[in-house]
């Protein structure tokens, strides 16, 4: 394989952020500078909010400064009883569980379903007791939780439902936006997410009564000039990040189409390997093209793949390993030994470098390496 010196020093990471058209973005920044209005629900905030409502197919959406704020404020708006329990998945990014603790609630880990890595709906009910107040599911890698069954359980026991949709920008499930399922849905627009505002996020509330509460919680609990009615926080999205996001909507569309192609190359090459599991998207859900996860045969083969790739300056990532129940703030929580699938998968999971303009030779290299260690 021929490689230029440029390619040799180029590191292939798990993702590469999309960026806005520089002329368009500069033009926006100029307007922001001239307007003397840099944050506090300004023009670009409002433009982005309107565009995202339509792109994501949701009735309402509150922009925030990051996805963690979206989770924290979204949960806060539900006013769950203090110290009540929230059933969630350990197979996610730390921010999911942290958002429960930041709300003075208690996370209870439920194992994941082997096919899609999402919270196992057959194990939720056994974890419910009189202190349970909510279920927090994660549409991990964009694979949708079993929203129908979760709603059924939540209705039966009077629980709230929160979804972490950080990996599910643009996902459509059963002809509706993924944002339409659950009481609260949190999106992240971090630089590593397919659509980014550098740092940013959004809260969708499927209860209209909650909207003004969320709006004020984002802004210190302020309701008007004379009244602060709740212990809010500052989670506002500033104008420069909003303008970046607005410009990035074009780049997002292009990147999405490119990733679709990369996805099918990976899929066609890896799907039928004997010791590699590539989870399929259910036919009723679109792929968000956020990650390309594969489950390898065992921990050893994963180390071999990682090592071999690193020799070629390719860095796949062990998302999610360790899992949340391994982290110091959570490792004394009861029931960790029941997380059989999560604890097995964390040793075998690998997220492959996945972005639109990944060089073809790197792609081939990755496919070759995985095939070699998957016999
Ligand atoms: C990225 C991410 C978050 C946090 O979002 P930030 O915007 O980085 O705060 C939360 N949950 C999951 C699953 C994520 O991947």
């Amino acid at each position: 394989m021929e490689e230029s010196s440029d390619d040799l020093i180029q590191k292939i990471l798990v993702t590469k952020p999309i960026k806005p058209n520089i002329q368009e973005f500069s033009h926006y920044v100029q307007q922001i500078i001239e307007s003397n209005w840099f944050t506090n629900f300004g023009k670009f905030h409002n433009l982005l909010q309107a565009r995202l409502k339509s792109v994501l197919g949701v009735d309402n959406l509150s922009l925030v400064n990051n996805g963690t704020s979206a989770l924290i404020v979204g949960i806060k708006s539900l006013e769950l009883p203090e110290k009540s329990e929230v059933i969630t998945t350990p197979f996610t990014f730390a921010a999911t569980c942290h958002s429960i603790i930041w709300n003075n609630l208690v996370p209870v880990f439920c194992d994941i379903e082997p096919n899609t890595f999402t919270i196992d709906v057959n194990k939720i009910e056994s974890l419910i007791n009189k202190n349970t107040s909510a279920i927090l599911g994660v549409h991990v890698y964009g694979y949708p939780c079993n929203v129908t069954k979760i709603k059924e359980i939540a209705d039966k026991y009077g629980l709230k439902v929160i979804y972490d949709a950080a990996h599910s920008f643009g996902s459509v499930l059963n002809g509706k936006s993924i944002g339409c399922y659950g009481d609260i849905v949190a999106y992240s627009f971090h630089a590593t997410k397919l659509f980014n505002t550098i740092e940013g996020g959004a809260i969708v509330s499927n209860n209209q009564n909650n909207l003004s509460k969320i709006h004020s919680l984002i802004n210190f609990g302020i309701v008007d000039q004379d009244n602060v009615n709740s212990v809010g926080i500052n989670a506002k999205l500033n104008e420069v990040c909003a303008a970046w996001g607005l410009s990035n909507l074009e780049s997002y569309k292009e990147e999405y189409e490119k990733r679709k192609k990369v996805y099918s190359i990976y899929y066609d090459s890896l799907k039928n390997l004997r010791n590699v599991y590539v989870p399929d998207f259910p036919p009723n859900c679109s792929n968000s093209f956020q990650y390309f996860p594969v489950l390898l045969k065992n921990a050893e083969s994963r180390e071999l793949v990682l090592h071999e790739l690193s020799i070629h300056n390719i860095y796949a990532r062990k998302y999610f390993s360790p899992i949340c129940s391994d982290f110091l703030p959570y490792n004394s929580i009861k029931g960790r030994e029941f997380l059989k699938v999560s604890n097995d998968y964390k040793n075998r999971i690998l997220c492959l470098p996945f972005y639109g303009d990944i060089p073809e030779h790197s792609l081939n290299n990755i496919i070759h390496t995985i095939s070699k260690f998957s016999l």
Side-chain angles (χ1 to χ4, degrees):
M1 195 187 322
E2 296 258 333
E3 286 183 278
S4 72
S5 58
D6 233 354
D7 290 328
L8 285 173
I9 49 167
Q10 188 194 358
K11 275 190 179 169
I12 304 295
L13 304 178
V14 75
T15 194
K16 188 167 158 188
I18 60 162
K19 40 199 162 211
N21 173 290
I22 194 158
Q23 271 83 30
E24 186 183 33
F25 178 62
S26 311
H27 179 62
Y28 289 166
V29 171
Q30 199 176 349
Q31 288 182 44
I32 293 168
I33 291 172
E34 284 166 9
S35 75
N36 290 316
W37 193 285
F38 304 151
T39 183
N40 286 24
F41 315 111
K43 172 182 159 182
F44 287 96
H45 166 280
N46 297 343
L47 282 170
L48 181 64
Q49 184 182 37
R51 286 290 303 281
L52 284 179
K53 275 204 289 196
S54 129
V55 171
L56 294 176
V58 292
D59 292 337
N60 70 79
L61 164 151
S62 306
L63 292 174
V64 288
N65 57 349
N66 59 62
T68 309
S69 298
L71 282 164
I72 292 177
V73 173
I75 295 172
K76 178 92 176 167
S77 74
L78 295 172
E79 297 178 356
L80 303 173
E82 199 165 319
K83 297 284 173 209
S84 63
E85 297 182 1
V86 179
I87 299 171
T88 192
T89 166
F91 200 74
T92 181
F93 184 58
T96 313
C97 305
H98 290 351
S99 67
I100 298 172
I101 304 267
W102 274 87
N103 273 288
N104 233 332
L105 302 165
V106 179
V108 172
F109 290 122
C110 179
D111 206 1
I112 56 169
E113 198 261 307
N115 294 323
T116 62
F117 312 158
T118 58
I119 193 164
D120 189 341
V121 290
N122 294 315
K123 293 184 179 153
I124 292 177
E125 268 189 284
S126 66
L127 298 168
I128 296 175
N129 62 51
K130 63 179 187 343
N131 294 323
T132 309
S133 62
I135 300 166
L136 168 42
V138 180
H139 304 303
V140 68
Y141 313 126
Y143 295 98
C145 293
N146 187 338
V147 295
T148 311
K149 185 72 193 173
I150 290 173
K151 179 157 179 11
E152 228 175 86
I153 297 171
D155 288 348
K156 181 170 165 193
Y157 293 93
L159 309 176
K160 296 290 184 191
V161 178
I162 305 128
Y163 286 115
D164 181 337
H167 301 172
S168 296
F169 188 90
S171 291
V172 174
L173 176 64
N174 297 322
K176 278 202 301 192
S177 165
I178 198 88
C180 297
Y181 300 92
D183 294 290
I184 290 288
V185 184
Y187 287 93
S188 164
F189 308 146
H190 182 254
T192 54
K193 304 303 193 302
L194 177 42
F195 168 77
N196 81 76
T197 56
I198 303 181
E199 292 272 8
I203 309 167
V204 173
S205 168
N206 288 313
N207 177 351
Q208 292 290 328
N209 301 331
N210 234 5
L211 290 182
S212 56
K213 213 185 313 174
I214 290 170
H215 187 75
S216 92
L217 279 171
I218 289 168
N219 191 27
F220 313 99
I222 294 172
V223 281
D224 58 41
Q225 287 203 1
D226 301 316
N227 295 289
V228 172
N229 285 1
S230 59
V231 185
I233 197 164
N234 179 3
K236 301 186 300 291
L237 187 73
N238 70 66
E239 286 293 273
V240 177
C241 285
W244 178 282
L246 206 57
S247 298
N248 251 351
L249 281 170
E250 262 326 293
S251 319
Y252 162 74
K253 276 189 230 149
E254 283 167 30
E255 176 69 10
Y256 185 90
E257 292 306 319
K258 285 187 191 167
R259 285 195 191 188
K260 207 185 252 181
K261 295 198 182 102
V262 175
Y263 190 93
S264 60
I265 295 172
Y266 267 145
Y267 186 90
D268 294 344
S269 318
L270 301 175
K271 183 63 187 172
N272 295 318
L273 292 180
R274 196 146 45 92
N275 288 312
V276 178
Y277 174 60
V278 179
D280 273 309
F281 270 79
N284 59 343
C285 186
S286 62
N287 191 334
S288 61
F289 297 115
Q290 173 63 50
Y291 287 113
F292 196 97
V294 291
L295 203 58
L296 301 178
K297 186 177 172 187
N298 51 37
E300 192 196 352
S301 53
R302 184 176 68 177
E303 288 317 307
L304 291 169
V305 167
L306 274 168
H307 177 71
E308 174 109 348
L309 291 177
S310 72
I311 295 171
H312 299 279
N313 252 334
I314 297 171
Y315 300 91
R317 287 294 294 268
K318 295 191 253 183
Y319 289 146
F320 289 97
S321 174
I323 53 177
C324 291
S325 46
D326 296 326
F327 294 141
L328 191 63
Y330 305 101
N331 68 12
S332 58
I333 289 178
K334 286 181 303 207
R336 286 168 63 225
E337 64 276 19
F338 300 121
L339 304 172
K340 288 222 160 52
V341 180
S342 316
N343 278 307
D344 170 27
Y345 281 18
K346 76 178 181 196
N347 296 318
R348 305 197 273 135
I349 193 76
L350 197 61
C351 281
L352 305 181
F354 183 49
Y355 50 90
D357 58 4
I358 185 168
E360 201 182 325
H361 63 85
S362 304
L363 205 54
N364 292 336
N365 208 331
I366 295 164
I367 290 164
H368 174 78
T369 305
I370 292 184
S371 311
K372 183 166 126 190
F373 291 110
S374 303
L375 299 172

